[in-house]
Amino acid sequence: MTRLPIAALVTSLLLAASAQAGDAGAVAKQIDGMYPKLDVIYKDLHAHPEVAFQETRTAAKLAAEMRAIGFDVTEKVGKTGIVALYKNGAGPTVLVRTEMDGLPMEEKSGFAYASKAHATLDGKDTMVAHSCGHDVHMTAWLAAARTLVAMKSQWQGTLMFIGQPAEEIVAGAKAMLDDGLFKRFPKPDYAFALHSWPLAYGTIGYNSGPVSSNSDAIEITFKGRGGHGSAPDKALDPITIAARFVVDVQTVISREKDPKEFGVVTIGAINGGSVGNIIPDSVKVRGTIRTYNPQVRAKILAGVRRVANASAAMADAPAPDVELITGGAAIVNNDALVTRTEGVLKQAFGDANVARMPAMTASEDFSVYANEGIPSMFFFTGVYDPAAVAEADKPGGKPIAFNHSPYYAPVPEPSIKTAAQAMTLAVLNVLSK
């Protein structure tokens, strides 16, 4: 191995840092110049959200924008997903994912461009909102694509930008994979995705290793025998069985799981009965399980099933119908890719604004791509005024709305610019000549 003299090595490192700083400046300039157009796109996407696997308008809009940039676009991959390819010589293939779906909920941000959209979901009308920031992600995704094409003289390889449906129900990534994503199109050498987070805009968070949780859904039907509320001895009350389960299942967390390990069981819905003086025949309980560790996941799943059956047995009731539905797996960031990328981000945004952070307890199906053996990195970008974030961090300070809140309200321009710049630099770093 040839060893460089110290002076030459220092010069080489300084030149690399100078090139990275130059890239960051050029990227920021490109995105600043296109921002008026991005603002229009963002507000249109925000005002017209669509729920999982119904993102037809959204997908068509993204497809049209990507074709205008020069990408070769395939639509209806995994039902409503899109795949956009841009080939620029020999080199790695880099996947950049954005999600497209909104949430079935009413927005209460108060913005002039707030969503008033409706959708039909499970046969019922619902309002829809981008209360998880997917509109920020899509706009930044478009900006990164446009910037990378504008700077194509500085890199070689293939861009594989995918618009994924149904992230909110952790089903879209699998749908795209099942539809031949890595058979009909190149299998990437690297994969990136980002997510807006209630951090200060201009800041970036990430981690090496797990960055999200495993997700499993609980669907349990407790069975009883209906009757008059005044004569419970003549009936078999499934409501009391369900209530016992809701309380007792928490002992799996507090008494069976290692307290140093993360694990959550939340019951989010109990449906049964019609009026106060009728004991129903059955009650349905729905919830979610979140974990990081596979062994903890298995322990909690077994505990939930056992407690459900025991709750029914204690009332001498029929065995419940227990469905524990596998959702998303934890995203595990590739350490080498994280280490490679963080230097570039720190150079561009400053050490104080780029930092490792604990894994989130929410779940994401970006893990589907990573689990195909693709070195991947999932990171977070801030969306709130730094002063508001600082105030929220004070004891008794005014809290800021979290993702999925009807009041979730990113500040558009700095949030989109940070996300777009960070993603562009991450991709450039693995494609540069």
Side-chain angles (χ1 to χ4, degrees), residues 151-343:
M151 298 177 68
K152 64 182 180 180
S153 64
Q154 299 183 32
W155 58 270
Q156 286 187 179
T158 298
L159 303 176
M160 183 178 183
F161 275 53
I162 66 172
Q164 181 201 301
E167 184 278 327
E168 294 294 358
I169 61 171
V170 289
K174 184 178 184 300
M176 293 191 79
L177 211 64
D178 288 348
D179 200 15
L181 180 63
F182 296 151
K183 296 176 182 176
R184 297 164 57 188
F185 308 97
K187 184 174 180 179
D189 298 288
Y190 303 98
F192 292 98
L194 60 79
H195 207 293
S196 66
W197 207 244
L199 304 168
Y201 53 65
T203 63
I204 300 167
Y206 56 96
N207 204 359
S208 181
V211 290
S212 70
S213 71
N214 300 303
S215 169
D216 297 285
I218 299 170
E219 300 273 350
I220 302 174
T221 301
F222 290 102
K223 303 169 186 178
R225 187 172 63 253
H228 200 290
S230 67
D233 59 309
K234 304 298 192 296
L236 181 55
D237 190 350
I239 291 178
T240 58
I241 300 170
R244 180 182 294 116
F245 166 79
V246 171
V247 173
D248 288 352
V249 76
Q250 293 305 324
T251 63
V252 176
I253 299 297
S254 66
R255 291 296 177 268
E256 298 184 36
K257 177 189 66 64
D258 182 339
K260 297 187 296 296
E261 295 280 0
F262 168 69
V264 168
V265 175
T266 294
I267 303 302
I270 302 177
N271 304 111
S274 54
V275 295
N277 65 346
I278 299 175
I279 295 171
D281 283 325
S282 65
V283 170
K284 186 160 190 174
V285 172
R286 305 176 73 185
T288 187
I289 303 167
R290 305 298 170 109
T291 54
Y292 296 145
N293 185 305
Q295 287 74 35
V296 173
R297 183 184 202 178
K299 180 182 282 291
I300 293 177
L301 287 167
V304 168
R305 186 178 297 276
R306 187 184 68 249
V307 172
N309 282 295
S311 297
M314 287 174 68
D316 198 23
D321 294 332
V322 181
E323 285 187 89
L324 301 177
I325 304 163
T326 301
I331 301 169
V332 179
N333 275 350
N334 178 269
D335 183 65
L337 185 58
V338 168
T339 301
R340 180 175 180 175
T341 305
E342 69 180 338

